[in-house]
Amino acid sequence: MRFKLILAFVDDDKTDALLDAARSAGATGATIINNARGEGLKKTRGIFGLEITSQRDVLLFLVEEHRSRHILETIAEIGEFDDSPGTGIAFQLDVEDALGVKHQIKTLSDHLQDEL
C-alpha cells in the first residue's frame, strides 16, 4: 500500500473544521503541531510598525494515495486557501515507506476494495 503525506499550514481557529473535513473525506487521523509561525510575501505591520504574526497549526495527514487528492482538495476548500490570501496552504508529498501503520492497512484495504 502506498501513502502520501498531506501537510496543511492553517490559522489555528480553522484547525477543528479542517480535521473534521479531512476525516469525512477519508483521512484516518492527523498529527497537529501547534504554535507554528508563518510569513507570507510581505510582513504584516500593525501599531507602531510592530510585526504582526498569527498562530498557525501544522496538520499532518498520512493517507492512502487513492484518497489523497480528494482529501487535499477538501482541506483547501474548507480552509478557503484560494479565496482568501493568508488563510493557509496545503500540499502533499510522496511517502517512500511508512512503519507503524500496519493496523490501518487492513481497514484501508477493505474500504478501498469496496470503493473500486
Side-chain angles (χ1 to χ4, degrees):
M1 183 165 284
R2 299 186 54 86
F3 292 95
K4 300 269 188 176
L5 177 65
I6 297 175
L7 291 96
F9 300 83
V10 301
D11 288 332
D12 61 351
D13 61 342
K14 292 191 177 214
T15 296
D16 290 334
L18 291 178
L19 290 172
D20 291 341
R23 186 170 294 278
S24 70
T28 57
T31 298
I32 300 125
I33 301 172
N34 295 317
N35 301 323
R37 187 172 67 96
E39 196 173 289
L41 290 174
K42 298 179 183 177
K43 291 185 180 184
T44 305
R45 301 271 181 204
I47 298 173
F48 305 117
L50 298 174
E51 186 177 329
I52 297 175
T53 58
S54 62
Q55 291 300 112
R56 300 268 181 182
D57 287 343
V58 180
L59 312 178
L60 295 93
F61 303 93
L62 185 64
V63 301
E64 200 282 325
E65 72 175 336
H66 291 95
R67 295 179 172 185
S68 65
R69 184 64 191 187
H70 176 65
I71 296 168
L72 182 67
E73 289 174 354
T74 300
I75 290 169
E77 181 181 336
I78 298 301
E80 300 175 331
F81 296 166
D82 289 331
D83 299 330
S84 303
T87 56
I89 63 169
F91 55 91
Q92 65 181 359
L93 302 170
D94 290 327
V95 174
E96 185 174 327
D97 200 0
L99 299 176
V101 293
K102 183 177 180 179
H103 59 283
Q104 294 185 25
I105 290 176
K106 171 84 170 97
T107 303
L108 288 170
S109 295
D110 292 344
H111 285 264
L112 286 172
Q113 286 179 354
D114 292 341
E115 290 175 11
L116 299 176

